[in-house]
């Protein structure tokens, strides 16, 4: 029974460690997503939104997303092992406390999973919006620059026409 108690405690320690790591990574991920949108806004005002800093942030976001997905998968695996442990014969003496602990860890996993997906979804929506707005701004600038050339040509033709009429 002592060995099985140690197994449960080891699982709980793993779960707590993964939860703490997930919490820190989710905060960093959220900050990175926020800073990404700010830098995209700055870059669009100065030049094309796909700058070098943007691509390094893209790489960082992809790496962080992958890492968070892996942590969530690991925490799910630990929670599954905890659930298996509560269903083993001979553990029924502590079953209420174990089930409460297991439920708490499941709730934390669900909260972190929801927060991750929400942050990721918000970021993707924001990036899509910024890309669309960026293309509209580029189209407007392109039109203005090309119409500026046409206006200049038109002015020259009008001056020449005016000169010929005199």
């Amino acid at each position: 029974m002592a060995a099985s108690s140690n197994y449960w405690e080891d699982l709980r320690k793993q779960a707590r460690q993964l939860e703490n790591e997930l919490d820190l990574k989710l905060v960093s991920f959220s900050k990175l997503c926020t800073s990404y949108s700010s830098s995209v806004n700055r870059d669009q005002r100065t030049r094309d939104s796909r700058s070098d800093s943007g691509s390094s942030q893209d790489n960082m976001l992809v790496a962080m997303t992958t890492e968070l997905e892996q942590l969530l998968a690991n925490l799910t695996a630990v929670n599954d092992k905890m659930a298996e442990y509560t269903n083993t014969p001979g553990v029924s003496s502590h079953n209420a406390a174990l089930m409460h602990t297991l439920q708490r860890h499941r709730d934390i996993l669900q909260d972190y999973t929801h927060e991750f997906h929400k942050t990721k979804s918000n970021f993707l929506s924001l990036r899509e919006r910024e890309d669309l707005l960026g293309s509209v701004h580029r189209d407007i600038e392109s039109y203005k620059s090309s119409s500026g050339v046409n206006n200049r040509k038109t002015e020259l033709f009008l001056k020449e026409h005016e000169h010929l009429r005199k």
Side-chain angles (χ1 to χ4, degrees):
M1 184 67 185
S4 66
S5 177
N6 286 340
Y7 179 68
W8 175 258
E9 287 304 315
D10 289 343
L11 288 174
R12 284 185 60 204
K13 285 178 186 175
Q14 286 178 22
R16 283 194 306 266
Q17 179 186 5
L18 288 168
E19 289 165 356
N20 290 336
E21 196 172 345
L22 267 165
D23 188 42
L24 293 172
K25 298 278 183 189
L26 283 169
V27 169
S28 298
F29 183 64
S30 179
K31 286 180 181 177
L32 185 60
C33 289
T34 303
S35 71
Y36 180 91
S37 65
S38 299
S39 71
V40 167
N41 288 337
R42 254 184 276 112
D43 288 344
Q44 280 183 345
R45 279 184 237 127
T46 58
R47 63 176 208 247
D48 187 21
S49 65
R50 293 290 179 210
S51 67
D52 292 338
S53 66
S55 65
S56 69
Q57 278 188 319
D58 281 345
N59 294 340
M60 203 172 200
L61 279 163
V62 168
M64 195 166 248
T65 300
T66 304
E67 189 175 359
L68 281 165
E69 288 170 344
Q70 185 63 44
L71 286 170
L72 288 168
N74 291 347
L75 185 56
T76 300
V78 170
N79 281 354
D80 291 345
K81 287 178 187 176
M82 291 171 80
E84 286 174 20
Y85 178 79
T86 59
N87 293 328
T88 55
V91 181
S92 60
S93 60
H94 309 116
N95 209 15
L98 296 180
M99 290 306 289
H100 175 74
T101 302
L102 175 60
Q103 187 58 46
R104 179 71 186 124
H105 285 290
R106 283 180 174 163
D107 290 344
I108 291 170
L109 172 62
Q110 184 179 10
D111 289 346
Y112 286 155
T113 302
H114 177 72
E115 183 178 342
F116 170 67
H117 289 297
K118 181 178 148 192
T119 302
K120 184 178 173 184
S121 174
N122 287 344
F123 168 72
L124 292 174
S125 296
L126 178 69
R127 188 165 79 177
E128 182 180 344
R129 179 181 178 273
E130 295 295 334
D131 286 346
L132 288 172
L133 287 175
S135 71
V136 168
H137 287 294
R138 285 188 296 278
D139 290 346
I140 290 171
E141 291 302 316
S142 172
Y143 175 76
K144 282 181 179 178
S145 66
S146 69
S147 67
V149 169
N150 289 336
N151 285 341
R152 177 78 177 132
K153 286 180 182 178
T154 305
E155 286 178 31
L156 290 173
F157 285 133
L158 286 173
K159 282 184 181 180
E160 186 177 335
H161 181 65
E162 190 71 29
H163 182 69
L164 291 173
R165 287 183 65 200
K166 289 183 181 181

